[in-house]
Amino acid sequence: MKNFPGTPGTLTGLVLRISQCVFAVGSIASVATTHTFFNFTAFCYLIASMGLQVIWSFVLAVLDAYSLVSKKVLHNPVLVSLFVVGDWVTATLSLAAASASAGITVLYFSDLGDCNAGGECQKYQISVALAYLSWVTTAISSLIMLWLLAAG
């Protein structure tokens, strides 16, 4: 298998995984610090989805760091296939959660004008933005993994 930027065991791969994890943690922290997030199913789903994203990204970041330190190559076709499936699943869940939360944010807080506490509205918006950033980095990583598997 080729060694593309962003593949497992490269510095860019580690940066992608760390950024996925940081954006997902930021999204969770932003929405969890509000008082009414549990009233909206989309935000509960966002927390669950971003929680899965944090776990997946952190585990793969640790694997990337281990690969960099030990100078071992993680290009086993079975392992890369697992990365592809995991990335695609987490990317799909992240996009669905971010889109649902964005829809609720626009509906309740912009269209209906039901935003009494300005701080909470901004936290919801920041959480959705960070969720989309997490999805973008996950989508980039999943496309790189698919490209790596196909080039294999």
Side-chain angles (χ1 to χ4, degrees):
M1 290 186 177
K2 309 247 188 226
N3 201 12
F4 300 114
T7 59
T10 62
L11 185 60
T12 53
L14 181 62
V15 168
L16 269 174
R17 296 300 178 180
I18 289 173
S19 63
Q20 292 168 14
C21 195
V22 167
F23 289 140
V25 166
S27 178
I28 291 170
S30 181
V31 79
T33 56
T34 63
H35 294 84
T36 59
F37 79 89
F38 51 85
N39 291 334
F40 306 104
T41 306
F43 292 121
C44 294
Y45 175 54
L46 180 70
I47 288 178
S49 173
M50 290 295 112
L52 178 65
Q53 182 66 47
V54 167
I55 293 168
W56 177 253
S57 299
F58 182 74
V59 167
L60 292 186
V62 169
L63 280 174
D64 280 345
Y66 170 75
S67 176
L68 281 171
V69 169
S70 67
K71 303 211 186 282
K72 289 188 177 186
V73 179
L74 295 176
H75 292 181
N76 181 345
V78 174
L79 194 58
V80 172
S81 297
L82 176 70
F83 291 167
V84 168
V85 171
D87 278 346
W88 280 92
V89 167
T90 56
T92 303
L93 291 174
S94 296
L95 178 61
S99 298
S101 298
I104 294 298
T105 301
V106 169
L107 176 68
Y108 282 115
F109 305 127
S110 294
D111 294 344
L112 298 178
D114 193 29
C115 190
N116 298 335
E120 284 203 1
C121 293
Q122 290 176 349
K123 287 181 181 180
Y124 287 132
Q125 292 169 346
I126 289 169
S127 177
V128 168
L130 290 173
Y132 274 116
L133 288 173
S134 178
W135 170 74
V136 165
T137 55
T138 305
I140 290 169
S141 179
S142 65
L143 289 174
I144 289 171
M145 291 296 154
L146 186 62
W147 188 13
L148 179 65
L149 187 64

